Amino acid sequence: LVDYNVEKKNYLDKVLIKTAYTASQREGEPFFHTLQKHLIDGNIGPRSSWRVDSFDSWVEADLGKEEEIVGVVWGSQLGTRTPATYAFYLSSDGKTWRKVKSVKNFKKANAIDVFEKAEQARFVKMEIYTTSGGDFVLLDEFEVVNSNARKILSYYNDRDKLFYDANDMFEF
């Protein structure tokens, strides 16, 4: 958990997030509680989330430099806005993308998606094709996991459990 927390802090400090169009009250004015910056604020739940305003749903993380990537941790809330069919793409330049993982008929509200093998990339993109209920996507965190935090992925398969343990690691 210590290695994971160090890498998570590094990630949150350096990552730049781009997304599809964010839901808004009025043109260009996002809802206060559904901002793209909430994807990398280290908090989970409905008051710290991002919601897209189209069926073209994607999130892209720029890590600032190439790293060895092993997976992505993301969360939503149970309901009609949870990603059900999605894929991850990696890129070194943000222009040429290669698909590294596809998921179909996903039924949970959060995931720790581990790639088949470690991959070099600077940019990581999640494209969401369908949600559990056909609604616009809502996510509350999007975290890329690099190889320095790889060991944690063999102990956890639930994002919420990892989140709570990592925030209370002195319990161990």
Side-chain angles (χ1 to χ4, degrees), residues 48-65:
S48 179
S49 59
W50 165 77
R51 187 175 68 206
V52 71
D53 198 16
S54 78
F55 286 109
D56 178 26
S57 303
W58 55 270
V59 175
E60 179 185 316
D62 177 353
L63 304 175
K65 65 181 175 69

Side-chain angles (χ1 to χ4, degrees), residues 41-136:
D41 67 359
N43 297 309
I44 62 175
R47 299 200 51 87
S48 179
S49 59
W50 165 77
R51 187 175 68 206
V52 71
D53 198 16
S54 78
F55 286 109
D56 178 26
S57 303
W58 55 270
V59 175
E60 179 185 316
D62 177 353
L63 304 175
K65 65 181 175 69
E66 275 208 13
E67 295 185 24
E68 190 174 67
I69 309 303
V70 296
V72 174
V73 176
W74 62 267
S76 186
Q77 285 116 42
L78 276 176
T80 60
R81 299 182 186 279
T82 303
T85 305
Y86 57 92
F88 293 101
Y89 296 83
L90 302 181
S91 175
S92 295
D93 60 8
K95 296 177 181 131
T96 305
W97 297 90
R98 64 190 186 283
K99 187 187 296 188
V100 294
K101 184 175 182 91
S102 292
V103 177
K104 292 183 179 182
N105 301 317
F106 192 72
K107 305 265 190 244
K108 292 173 42 179
N110 67 74
I112 299 175
D113 284 308
V114 181
F115 302 155
E116 281 189 36
K117 62 181 176 97
E119 302 267 359
Q120 287 293 126
R122 173 180 170 169
F123 299 90
V124 179
K125 183 189 283 188
M126 179 184 191
E127 290 186 359
I128 301 118
Y129 307 116
T130 65
T131 59
S132 56
D135 209 340
F136 292 163

Side-chain angles (χ1 to χ4, degrees), residues 6 8 18 20 22 32 38 64 89 98 116 141:
V6 168
K8 182 175 180 176
K18 292 183 193 174
T22 299
F32 177 71
H38 290 164
Y89 296 83
R98 64 190 186 283
E116 281 189 36
E141 278 297 294

